[in-house]
Amino acid sequence: CALPISTNLLFYTAPSGSTSVLERMRIDSSGRVTMPYQPALVAVVTSNKTVNGSISLAFDSITLNRGNSTSASLSNSRFTVSIAGCYKVDLFWFLGSSGNDSALDIAVNGSSVYRLGTNIGGVSGTASYLGSGGGVILNLAANDYIEIFGSGTKTILGSSPVHSAMSISFLG
């Protein structure tokens, strides 16, 4: 007896209290995995912001919040996760006349855990429009929150097209 061969492996679940099922994951015949409900968030800066060690970066808008597992508060610049697990956090930014330090701190629950960026100390003069970026993987508990601070006072440029943004992706 020959078994039917499918070109895709599909995974479905029903939301709580529902009898309707939704496709949650697919592995296609080439081995590519898609998970349309995998949580992801993108926040952008569209106007210049001043940050330092006690003033967090205030993002202007959320351009993607798939899966709604990350609660984003633009009023207090906190991004709270609702699912425990590993998250990939990526940042890129440009600074106005900033001297020679472009570093930003990623904080979890108010405590800095990583510093991203560059310090080009030892160079005479100052750099204008210094850009930087980086990413980390954080192991977070449910209800942990992420904030971004400056390592010293600096101006983060906001513009169109976007000069400064952050993305948060749930890895599992």
Side-chain angles (χ1 to χ4, degrees):
C1 167
L3 295 175
I5 297 176
S6 174
T7 59
N8 297 303
L9 178 59
L10 306 174
F11 296 82
Y12 292 87
T13 64
S16 181
S18 173
T19 57
S20 300
V21 295
L22 298 169
E23 181 181 323
R24 300 299 185 166
M25 186 170 79
R26 171 185 299 246
I27 303 173
D28 72 12
S29 60
S30 296
R32 294 178 294 237
V33 178
T34 58
M35 296 178 286
Y37 293 91
Q38 190 73 359
L41 177 134
V42 176
V44 299
V45 177
T46 56
S47 61
N48 294 356
K49 305 287 191 241
T50 298
V51 297
N52 62 36
S54 61
I55 300 173
S56 60
L57 178 56
F59 291 88
D60 294 304
S61 67
I62 306 299
T63 59
L64 171 72
N65 192 359
R66 185 179 69 196
N68 293 317
S69 74
T70 304
S71 169
S73 173
L74 296 177
S75 64
N76 69 8
S77 305
R78 289 182 178 175
F79 300 88
T80 305
V81 302
S82 61
I83 303 169
C86 291
Y87 288 80
K88 176 85 162 91
V89 178
D90 292 298
L91 290 164
F92 67 89
W93 63 95
F94 277 93
L95 305 176
S97 298
S98 62
N100 59 9
D101 175 14
S102 72
L104 292 179
D105 291 345
I106 296 176
V108 174
N109 300 329
S111 298
S112 292
V113 292
Y114 286 101
R115 178 163 289 167
L116 300 177
T118 54
N119 184 326
I120 53 174
V123 176
S124 60
T126 60
S128 294
Y129 305 110
L130 186 61
S132 200
V136 298
I137 295 175
L138 300 173
N139 188 22
L140 300 174
N143 300 313
D144 279 353
Y145 63 90
I146 300 166
E147 296 173 288
I148 308 301
F149 292 96
S151 64
T153 302
K154 55 194 63 157
T155 300
I156 306 295
L157 296 181
S159 185
S160 181
V162 173
H163 284 34
S164 305
M166 174 177 68
S167 66
I168 302 172
S169 303
F170 180 64
L171 300 177

